[in-house]
Amino acid sequence: MSFNTFWKIFMRNRYRILCSLLFVFIFSYVLLNSYNSILRSRLKNFFAGDIVDFSYSDNVTGFSYPIVPNIVHYVHFDSPDLSFIQVISIRAVYLNSPPEKILIHCNCYSLKGKYWDMVKNISILEISYMRKPTHIFEKLLSSVYHSSDIARLEILMKYGGIFLDTDTYVIKSLEYFRRFEMTLGWPPSQNLGTQLLIAHKNARFLKLWYNSYHYYRRERWYYNAGELPTQFILEPMPYLVHRVPYDFGVHNLVHLLYGTCSSEWKNYHAIHLLVRHKNYLLPGDIVEEFNEENIKTYNKTFGDMARLVLYGFIDIIKLYEFYSRTSEKQQKGSLAVKLYLLRFHMENLIRRIRECKMLSSHACADRQQKLFFYFVVIVVCEKIIMQEYLIQ
């Protein structure tokens, strides 16, 4: 083909050819630029020896290996004493999701008291001194709870790891969630929960969350901890975290914990115990403040959970047998305990019988079971009558 022929073809189709060349150029530029960005990100992480750029991370599938340190963090300010609920929380994570280290960050150099004595022999438990935050971006914090909100972000940005509120009960291993940039409980149509946070120290959401305190509102209890970061950061950019809708138990489970006795709690990875809120969320509970004595006979779900991490078994009867082997001095009031255990056993028996379908409305029973049904009714009536005497 001569040059003149080629030129004629080009002039006749010049607009089509130029558009095609322009498209190829733009496509190649975008492709190469995108590839170079990924390459730059990977090189940056490689030379840093850690993940410092999560721009191309996937918080749906996560990494193929754990990237979050297996270190548990607690914050404890303004008191050298631990509470009974803190003991439950520490023992739960120690037994159910063993970390490499448990750090209690507090503004004191040592802890004391009977509840500290219950956990101080845990070899991986350490105290880490930390000044209590009093200001954020030159704004005065209104309460110790807001100080704790700031502290948990600063701790995670410094160390990374697993942050637990002092009333969070870990039920299953959290190992799986260490493969994500950041994991948190975020129920549908609700704000995020701060009670359990699992994060790499360079997680993008941590920095955005911390910087959002430029708009700190001291009069709003959960505004900066939950409302603002959910509505203005996570809802527009949900890819920043691995979202756990229900499994972290950060939604209201107060009835499950203190209103009934159920094994449903075992289906969660963790549960926020809501101890400080239970008295107004579920008024009328027989126990206002838990301790190592009343938990032995507390016949609701939380009683089972606490006894499991304290004594190794749930059943109150087994607990009584355990204590019956102790010295006589510790057996004072054993008759009262026996009566309480008998009453508890009867309540459970009556509750289970009521759950039988044969006692439901319009139930149909085989004629051959008529005699059996008759004896069941007699037993239930006798138990109810006996229960009334025990209550008196």
Short mmCIF file of all heavy atoms in Angstrom, two decimals, residues 336-369:
data_model
loop_
_atom_site.label_atom_id
_atom_site.label_comp_id
_atom_site.label_asym_id
_atom_site.label_seq_id
_atom_site.Cartn_x
_atom_site.Cartn_y
_atom_site.Cartn_z
N ALA A 336 -30.38 -22.75 104.56
CA ALA A 336 -31.00 -21.74 103.70
C ALA A 336 -30.62 -21.96 102.25
O ALA A 336 -31.44 -21.80 101.34
CB ALA A 336 -30.58 -20.34 104.16
N VAL A 337 -29.36 -22.34 102.03
CA VAL A 337 -28.91 -22.61 100.67
C VAL A 337 -29.65 -23.80 100.09
O VAL A 337 -30.09 -23.79 98.94
CB VAL A 337 -27.38 -22.84 100.64
CG1 VAL A 337 -26.94 -23.26 99.24
CG2 VAL A 337 -26.65 -21.59 101.08
N LYS A 338 -29.82 -24.86 100.93
CA LYS A 338 -30.54 -26.05 100.46
C LYS A 338 -31.97 -25.71 100.06
O LYS A 338 -32.48 -26.17 99.04
CB LYS A 338 -30.53 -27.12 101.55
CG LYS A 338 -29.19 -27.79 101.76
CD LYS A 338 -29.28 -28.82 102.88
CE LYS A 338 -27.94 -29.50 103.10
NZ LYS A 338 -28.00 -30.48 104.21
N LEU A 339 -32.63 -24.91 100.89
CA LEU A 339 -34.00 -24.52 100.59
C LEU A 339 -34.07 -23.70 99.31
O LEU A 339 -34.97 -23.88 98.48
CB LEU A 339 -34.59 -23.72 101.75
CG LEU A 339 -34.90 -24.52 103.03
CD1 LEU A 339 -35.30 -23.59 104.16
CD2 LEU A 339 -36.01 -25.53 102.76
N TYR A 340 -33.10 -22.81 99.14
CA TYR A 340 -33.09 -21.99 97.93
C TYR A 340 -32.86 -22.86 96.70
O TYR A 340 -33.51 -22.69 95.66
CB TYR A 340 -32.00 -20.92 98.02
CG TYR A 340 -32.06 -19.92 96.90
CD1 TYR A 340 -32.76 -18.72 97.04
CD2 TYR A 340 -31.46 -20.18 95.67
CE1 TYR A 340 -32.84 -17.81 96.01
CE2 TYR A 340 -31.54 -19.28 94.63
CZ TYR A 340 -32.22 -18.10 94.81
OH TYR A 340 -32.31 -17.21 93.78
N LEU A 341 -31.94 -23.82 96.83
CA LEU A 341 -31.66 -24.71 95.71
C LEU A 341 -32.87 -25.57 95.37
O LEU A 341 -33.16 -25.82 94.20
CB LEU A 341 -30.45 -25.59 96.03
CG LEU A 341 -29.11 -24.86 96.17
CD1 LEU A 341 -28.04 -25.84 96.62
CD2 LEU A 341 -28.72 -24.22 94.85
N LEU A 342 -33.58 -26.02 96.41
CA LEU A 342 -34.78 -26.82 96.18
C LEU A 342 -35.84 -26.00 95.46
O LEU A 342 -36.47 -26.47 94.50
CB LEU A 342 -35.33 -27.33 97.52
CG LEU A 342 -36.62 -28.16 97.45
CD1 LEU A 342 -36.40 -29.41 96.59
CD2 LEU A 342 -37.07 -28.55 98.85
N ARG A 343 -36.01 -24.76 95.90
CA ARG A 343 -36.97 -23.88 95.25
C ARG A 343 -36.57 -23.62 93.80
O ARG A 343 -37.41 -23.64 92.89
CB ARG A 343 -37.06 -22.57 96.03
CG ARG A 343 -38.00 -21.55 95.39
CD ARG A 343 -37.96 -20.24 96.15
NE ARG A 343 -38.60 -19.19 95.39
CZ ARG A 343 -38.57 -17.91 95.71
NH1 ARG A 343 -37.91 -17.52 96.78
NH2 ARG A 343 -39.17 -17.01 94.96
N PHE A 344 -35.29 -23.39 93.59
CA PHE A 344 -34.80 -23.14 92.23
C PHE A 344 -35.06 -24.36 91.33
O PHE A 344 -35.50 -24.24 90.19
CB PHE A 344 -33.31 -22.82 92.27
CG PHE A 344 -32.65 -22.77 90.93
CD1 PHE A 344 -32.79 -21.66 90.12
CD2 PHE A 344 -31.89 -23.84 90.47
CE1 PHE A 344 -32.19 -21.62 88.87
CE2 PHE A 344 -31.29 -23.80 89.23
CZ PHE A 344 -31.44 -22.68 88.43
N HIS A 345 -34.79 -25.56 91.88
CA HIS A 345 -35.00 -26.79 91.13
C HIS A 345 -36.48 -26.95 90.77
O HIS A 345 -36.82 -27.35 89.65
CB HIS A 345 -34.51 -27.97 91.96
CG HIS A 345 -34.72 -29.30 91.29
ND1 HIS A 345 -34.02 -29.67 90.16
CD2 HIS A 345 -35.55 -30.33 91.58
CE1 HIS A 345 -34.40 -30.88 89.79
NE2 HIS A 345 -35.33 -31.30 90.63
N MET A 346 -37.35 -26.63 91.70
CA MET A 346 -38.79 -26.76 91.44
C MET A 346 -39.25 -25.75 90.39
O MET A 346 -40.07 -26.08 89.52
CB MET A 346 -39.56 -26.56 92.74
CG MET A 346 -39.40 -27.72 93.71
SD MET A 346 -40.05 -27.34 95.33
CE MET A 346 -41.69 -26.82 94.91
N GLU A 347 -38.74 -24.53 90.46
CA GLU A 347 -39.10 -23.52 89.46
C GLU A 347 -38.70 -23.98 88.06
O GLU A 347 -39.47 -23.82 87.10
CB GLU A 347 -38.43 -22.19 89.79
CG GLU A 347 -39.04 -21.48 90.98
CD GLU A 347 -38.29 -20.21 91.33
OE1 GLU A 347 -37.19 -20.00 90.77
OE2 GLU A 347 -38.79 -19.43 92.16
N ASN A 348 -37.52 -24.55 87.96
CA ASN A 348 -37.07 -25.05 86.66
C ASN A 348 -37.94 -26.21 86.18
O ASN A 348 -38.26 -26.32 84.99
CB ASN A 348 -35.61 -25.51 86.74
CG ASN A 348 -34.65 -24.35 86.57
OD1 ASN A 348 -35.04 -23.27 86.14
ND2 ASN A 348 -33.40 -24.55 86.93
N LEU A 349 -38.31 -27.09 87.11
CA LEU A 349 -39.15 -28.23 86.75
C LEU A 349 -40.51 -27.76 86.24
O LEU A 349 -41.00 -28.22 85.20
CB LEU A 349 -39.32 -29.15 87.96
CG LEU A 349 -40.24 -30.36 87.77
CD1 LEU A 349 -39.69 -31.27 86.68
CD2 LEU A 349 -40.42 -31.12 89.07
N ILE A 350 -41.11 -26.82 86.96
CA ILE A 350 -42.43 -26.30 86.55
C ILE A 350 -42.32 -25.59 85.21
O ILE A 350 -43.18 -25.75 84.33
CB ILE A 350 -42.97 -25.35 87.64
CG1 ILE A 350 -43.27 -26.14 88.92
CG2 ILE A 350 -44.23 -24.63 87.15
CD1 ILE A 350 -43.57 -25.27 90.12
N ARG A 351 -41.25 -24.82 85.03
CA ARG A 351 -41.07 -24.10 83.76
C ARG A 351 -40.94 -25.07 82.60
O ARG A 351 -41.53 -24.87 81.53
CB ARG A 351 -39.82 -23.21 83.85
CG ARG A 351 -39.47 -22.51 82.55
CD ARG A 351 -38.33 -21.53 82.75
NE ARG A 351 -37.16 -22.15 83.33
CZ ARG A 351 -36.26 -22.83 82.61
NH1 ARG A 351 -36.42 -22.96 81.31
NH2 ARG A 351 -35.21 -23.36 83.20
N ARG A 352 -40.20 -26.15 82.80
CA ARG A 352 -40.00 -27.10 81.71
C ARG A 352 -41.27 -27.87 81.39
O ARG A 352 -41.55 -28.18 80.23
CB ARG A 352 -38.87 -28.07 82.07
CG ARG A 352 -37.53 -27.38 82.18
CD ARG A 352 -36.39 -28.34 82.07
NE ARG A 352 -35.12 -27.64 82.07
CZ ARG A 352 -33.96 -28.21 81.77
NH1 ARG A 352 -33.93 -29.49 81.46
NH2 ARG A 352 -32.85 -27.52 81.79
N ILE A 353 -42.05 -28.18 82.42
CA ILE A 353 -43.32 -28.88 82.17
C ILE A 353 -44.27 -27.98 81.40
O ILE A 353 -44.98 -28.42 80.49
CB ILE A 353 -43.95 -29.34 83.51
CG1 ILE A 353 -43.08 -30.45 84.13
CG2 ILE A 353 -45.37 -29.83 83.30
CD1 ILE A 353 -43.54 -30.91 85.49
N ARG A 354 -44.25 -26.69 81.73
CA ARG A 354 -45.12 -25.75 81.02
C ARG A 354 -44.75 -25.64 79.55
O ARG A 354 -45.58 -25.27 78.72
CB ARG A 354 -45.04 -24.37 81.68
CG ARG A 354 -45.83 -24.28 82.97
CD ARG A 354 -45.58 -22.96 83.66
NE ARG A 354 -46.39 -22.83 84.87
CZ ARG A 354 -46.17 -21.93 85.81
NH1 ARG A 354 -45.16 -21.08 85.69
NH2 ARG A 354 -46.95 -21.87 86.87
N GLU A 355 -43.49 -25.92 79.24
CA GLU A 355 -43.05 -25.85 77.85
C GLU A 355 -43.50 -27.05 77.03
O GLU A 355 -43.40 -27.04 75.80
CB GLU A 355 -41.52 -25.74 77.79
CG GLU A 355 -40.99 -24.41 78.33
CD GLU A 355 -39.48 -24.38 78.42
OE1 GLU A 355 -38.86 -25.44 78.16
OE2 GLU A 355 -38.92 -23.32 78.76
N CYS A 356 -43.99 -28.10 77.70
CA CYS A 356 -44.45 -29.29 76.98
C CYS A 356 -45.67 -28.95 76.13
O CYS A 356 -46.60 -28.26 76.58
CB CYS A 356 -44.81 -30.40 77.97
SG CYS A 356 -43.40 -31.08 78.85
N LYS A 357 -45.71 -29.46 74.92
CA LYS A 357 -46.82 -29.19 74.01
C LYS A 357 -48.13 -29.78 74.52
O LYS A 357 -49.21 -29.29 74.21
CB LYS A 357 -46.49 -29.75 72.62
CG LYS A 357 -45.35 -29.02 71.93
CD LYS A 357 -45.12 -29.58 70.53
CE LYS A 357 -44.00 -28.83 69.84
NZ LYS A 357 -43.72 -29.36 68.49
N MET A 358 -48.04 -30.84 75.32
CA MET A 358 -49.25 -31.49 75.80
C MET A 358 -50.03 -30.61 76.78
O MET A 358 -51.19 -30.88 77.07
CB MET A 358 -48.91 -32.83 76.46
CG MET A 358 -48.04 -32.70 77.70
SD MET A 358 -47.61 -34.30 78.41
CE MET A 358 -49.20 -34.84 78.98
N LEU A 359 -49.38 -29.55 77.30
CA LEU A 359 -50.07 -28.64 78.21
C LEU A 359 -50.49 -27.35 77.54
O LEU A 359 -51.01 -26.45 78.19
CB LEU A 359 -49.15 -28.32 79.41
CG LEU A 359 -48.80 -29.50 80.31
CD1 LEU A 359 -47.86 -29.06 81.41
CD2 LEU A 359 -50.05 -30.12 80.92
N SER A 360 -50.26 -27.24 76.24
CA SER A 360 -50.64 -26.02 75.53
C SER A 360 -52.13 -26.04 75.21
O SER A 360 -52.81 -27.07 75.32
CB SER A 360 -49.83 -25.90 74.24
OG SER A 360 -50.09 -27.00 73.39
N SER A 361 -52.65 -24.88 74.81
CA SER A 361 -54.08 -24.77 74.50
C SER A 361 -54.46 -25.67 73.33
O SER A 361 -53.73 -25.77 72.34
CB SER A 361 -54.42 -23.31 74.17
OG SER A 361 -54.09 -22.47 75.24
N HIS A 362 -55.62 -26.35 73.46
CA HIS A 362 -56.18 -27.21 72.41
C HIS A 362 -55.22 -28.34 72.02
O HIS A 362 -55.22 -28.80 70.88
CB HIS A 362 -56.52 -26.38 71.16
CG HIS A 362 -57.36 -25.18 71.43
ND1 HIS A 362 -58.67 -25.27 71.84
CD2 HIS A 362 -57.07 -23.86 71.38
CE1 HIS A 362 -59.16 -24.05 72.02
NE2 HIS A 362 -58.21 -23.18 71.75
N ALA A 363 -54.42 -28.78 72.98
CA ALA A 363 -53.49 -29.88 72.69
C ALA A 363 -54.26 -31.20 72.60
O ALA A 363 -55.27 -31.41 73.28
CB ALA A 363 -52.42 -29.97 73.76
N CYS A 364 -53.79 -32.08 71.75
CA CYS A 364 -54.39 -33.41 71.59
C CYS A 364 -53.45 -34.46 72.17
O CYS A 364 -52.25 -34.43 71.91
CB CYS A 364 -54.65 -33.71 70.11
SG CYS A 364 -55.82 -32.57 69.34
N ALA A 365 -53.99 -35.36 72.96
CA ALA A 365 -53.17 -36.40 73.59
C ALA A 365 -53.74 -37.77 73.25
O ALA A 365 -54.96 -37.95 73.13
CB ALA A 365 -53.13 -36.19 75.10
N ASP A 366 -52.86 -38.72 73.12
CA ASP A 366 -53.26 -40.10 72.87
C ASP A 366 -53.97 -40.66 74.10
O ASP A 366 -53.59 -40.36 75.24
CB ASP A 366 -52.01 -40.93 72.53
CG ASP A 366 -52.39 -42.28 71.94
OD1 ASP A 366 -53.08 -43.05 72.63
OD2 ASP A 366 -51.97 -42.54 70.80
N ARG A 367 -54.98 -41.49 73.89
CA ARG A 367 -55.72 -42.06 75.02
C ARG A 367 -54.82 -42.90 75.92
O ARG A 367 -55.03 -42.97 77.13
CB ARG A 367 -56.86 -42.93 74.50
CG ARG A 367 -58.01 -42.14 73.89
CD ARG A 367 -59.14 -43.06 73.49
NE ARG A 367 -60.27 -42.32 72.94
CZ ARG A 367 -61.39 -42.90 72.52
NH1 ARG A 367 -61.53 -44.22 72.59
NH2 ARG A 367 -62.37 -42.16 72.03
N GLN A 368 -53.83 -43.54 75.31
CA GLN A 368 -52.93 -44.38 76.10
C GLN A 368 -52.07 -43.55 77.05
O GLN A 368 -51.50 -44.09 77.99
CB GLN A 368 -52.04 -45.19 75.16
CG GLN A 368 -52.82 -46.17 74.29
CD GLN A 368 -51.91 -46.93 73.34
OE1 GLN A 368 -50.73 -46.64 73.24
NE2 GLN A 368 -52.48 -47.91 72.64
N GLN A 369 -51.97 -42.24 76.80
CA GLN A 369 -51.18 -41.37 77.66
C GLN A 369 -52.03 -40.68 78.72
O GLN A 369 -51.55 -39.83 79.45
CB GLN A 369 -50.48 -40.30 76.80
CG GLN A 369 -49.47 -40.88 75.82
CD GLN A 369 -48.83 -39.80 74.95
OE1 GLN A 369 -49.34 -38.69 74.88
NE2 GLN A 369 -47.74 -40.15 74.31
#
